[in-house]
Amino acid sequence: MNTNNNVIRDLTQAYDADPEQLHALQARLAGAAADEGILDIAYRTIDSPVGSLLLAATPAGLLRVAYARENHQDVLQLLADRVSSRILNAPARLDIVTRELDEYFDGRRHRFDVPLDWRLSAGFRSTVLHRLTDIGYGDTASYADVAQLAGNPKAVRAVGTACATNPLPVIVPCHRVVRSDGSLGGYLGGVEAKRALLALEAPSERRLRG
C-alpha cells in the first residue's frame, strides 16, 4: 500500500496546484489503485447533446450511464452501496466508451461494441433490456412489441418499468421504445432527451409526436 499512500499524500498537498498537475496526480492515483487491486469501479463524466452523463465501469464492463437529472452523486452512492465502495474518478479507463458515444452523437456509430456489466439488472427486467438491442438504429418498437420479444406479451407495464430503471441508457436503447400510438412516453433522461436521441437516429422526413 506504500505507493498508494504516497499518491494520496501528493494529491492532498496539491489542492492549490494547477488543473494539469491535479489531472496527473489523479491519473497516478488511478494507476496505483488499479495496480494494487483496490479499484472496483472507475467513473468519469462527459458532456453530450443530452446533457452531462456519468459513466461507470467495472473490469467486467460498463456498469452505469446516468443523466444529470438522476443526480450523479446519488448514483455513485448507490453504486458504492450495491456494488463496491472502491470507486475512483479514473477517466482513462472509460476512454473507449467515451469515444463510441462521441461517434454515436456525431451520427457515425449505429451500435455500441463496449462490454457491459449487467449486474444492476435481474429477472424479467434484465430479459427486457437484453432484447432492446433487437430494435435497430432509426427504428422504434412499442412497449407491447417489446413484451412480445421478451416472451411475455401481457407484461407491458413491466416493460415500462424495465425501461424506466435501465442502468445503461443510450447504450441499451430504451429510448427506442414508444407507446402504441407512436407518442414518446416517459424516459428516465426526460422526454426532451428521448426526443433528441430519436431525432438523431431518425430519417429526416420522420416527424415525432410528443
Side-chain angles (χ1 to χ4, degrees):
M1 295 294 289
N2 290 337
T3 301
N4 198 43
N5 287 337
N6 290 337
V7 176
I8 292 171
R9 182 170 61 252
D10 288 344
L11 190 58
T12 301
Q13 294 171 350
Y15 282 121
D16 295 326
D18 65 44
E20 289 187 5
Q21 289 177 305
L22 290 174
H23 180 76
L25 287 169
Q26 185 180 66
R28 286 177 60 195
L29 179 58
D35 289 343
E36 296 179 14
I38 59 171
L39 176 57
D40 292 334
I41 302 175
Y43 75 90
R44 73 182 295 177
T45 56
I46 63 169
D47 293 328
S48 82
V50 289
S52 176
L53 296 175
L54 170 74
L55 311 177
T58 68
L62 185 64
L63 176 71
R64 189 73 165 87
V65 176
Y67 284 98
R69 75 199 305 261
E70 298 179 75
N71 191 319
H72 291 168
Q73 290 303 315
D74 287 349
V75 172
L76 290 172
Q77 183 60 58
L78 184 62
L79 293 179
D81 293 341
R82 293 188 58 182
V83 180
S84 172
S85 60
R86 300 194 294 191
I87 300 176
L88 185 67
N89 185 354
R93 288 178 167 265
L94 290 139
D95 280 349
I96 295 176
V97 66
T98 298
R99 185 183 70 244
E100 291 197 4
L101 282 166
D102 286 343
E103 292 169 353
Y104 167 77
F105 286 120
D106 286 343
R108 295 181 287 117
R109 174 174 289 275
H110 291 182
R111 60 178 301 151
F112 296 95
D113 298 319
V114 292
L116 304 179
D117 184 335
W118 291 94
R119 76 180 72 187
L120 296 177
S121 299
F124 186 69
R125 292 184 186 183
S126 178
T127 301
V128 169
L129 296 181
H130 276 80
R131 299 313 301 263
L132 294 185
T133 54
D134 293 344
I135 310 170
Y137 184 96
D139 293 330
T140 60
S142 71
Y143 293 96
D145 291 336
V146 175
Q148 184 76 39
L149 284 172
N152 191 344
K154 296 182 179 179
V156 176
R157 187 179 298 273
V159 168
T161 300
C163 290
T165 56
N166 178 9
L168 295 162
V170 185
I171 303 290
V172 176
C174 57
H175 60 275
R176 296 176 190 160
V177 184
V178 298
R179 292 173 176 162
S180 295
D181 64 3
S183 60
L184 296 187
Y187 186 58
L188 77 168
V191 174
E192 289 309 312
K194 186 171 187 175
R195 188 188 306 277
L197 294 174
L198 291 175
L200 170 69
E201 298 180 3
S204 58
E205 68 271 13
R206 181 181 294 172
R207 294 294 181 266
L208 300 176
R209 289 182 288 170

